[in-house]
Amino acid sequence: MKDKVILLVEDNPDDVELTLRAFKKNHIVNKLIVAPNGLEALDYLFGRGIYQERDIKDLPVLIMLDLNLPKINGLEVLTAIRQNEMTRLLPVVVITSSNRNEDLLASYTLGANSYIPKPVDFNEFMEAVKVLGLYWLSWNKPPPLIH
């Protein structure tokens, strides 16, 4: 069985580093692929650009998606994921610093599975990643057509 990959779509290097530290501290050993913008995230998922050699059938078990991204924003990424037959059922957790109700509503309307405001406090962030990891990687059962 292949490693269960998590796709982290995040442009802030500090947030990427915090996520990596939180994964390590919480013993989440899944391979983490980081896409620093929306375009690269879609290239990874659909096997384009620098990922053209990637087996597109080997999908991540979870996508952690920021909304405020360069090139293609998170809501556009979510729309593209949900419009594609191969990726439409992938679990997508929006993790964002946005506290706008419009972003919350749009995320769920477009098919996000969860919406988590980024905790500012490091310990709260660690706890959020721990719970997220436990739920999505241990307890949640993905659709059978994906994995």
Side-chain angles (χ1 to χ4, degrees):
M1 181 176 174
K2 294 191 183 225
D3 290 336
K4 294 180 178 180
V5 171
I6 298 168
L7 177 60
L8 173 63
V9 189
E10 175 60 66
D11 64 318
N12 183 326
D14 293 335
D15 287 347
V16 171
E17 184 61 32
L18 276 177
T19 302
L20 290 169
R21 287 177 59 198
F23 273 39
K24 185 175 182 177
K25 182 176 182 191
N26 290 299
H27 310 289
I28 299 171
V29 296
N30 297 66
K31 181 177 180 182
L32 188 69
I33 302 293
V34 178
N37 61 65
L39 179 61
E40 190 169 321
L42 294 178
D43 284 352
Y44 177 81
L45 289 170
F46 302 131
R48 306 182 306 217
I50 63 171
Y51 298 104
Q52 65 186 3
E53 301 298 319
R54 193 182 82 73
D55 180 1
I56 60 173
K57 293 178 187 162
D58 187 19
L59 294 169
V61 292
L62 177 65
I63 299 171
M64 297 169 60
L65 178 65
D66 188 17
L67 292 183
N68 302 313
L69 298 167
K71 298 190 180 181
I72 298 175
N73 73 41
L75 294 175
E76 292 171 305
V77 171
L78 183 56
T79 298
I81 290 168
R82 293 301 184 236
Q83 288 178 342
N84 184 284
E85 186 68 25
M86 183 179 64
T87 59
R88 69 182 173 87
L89 298 178
L90 285 175
V92 177
V93 175
V94 172
I95 302 180
T96 183
S97 57
S98 172
N99 58 5
R100 297 179 33 186
N101 282 335
E102 299 86 13
D103 288 338
L104 174 70
L105 182 59
S107 295
Y108 279 118
T109 299
L110 294 172
N113 298 93
S114 185
Y115 186 99
I116 300 172
K118 285 182 187 173
V120 177
D121 178 76
F122 177 73
N123 290 326
E124 287 178 16
F125 186 85
M126 288 290 185
E127 186 63 23
V129 169
K130 177 182 175 183
V131 171
L132 204 157
L134 281 173
Y135 178 78
W136 289 106
L137 303 172
S138 297
W139 299 330
N140 184 60
K141 183 173 179 165
L145 296 177
I146 293 177
H147 297 284

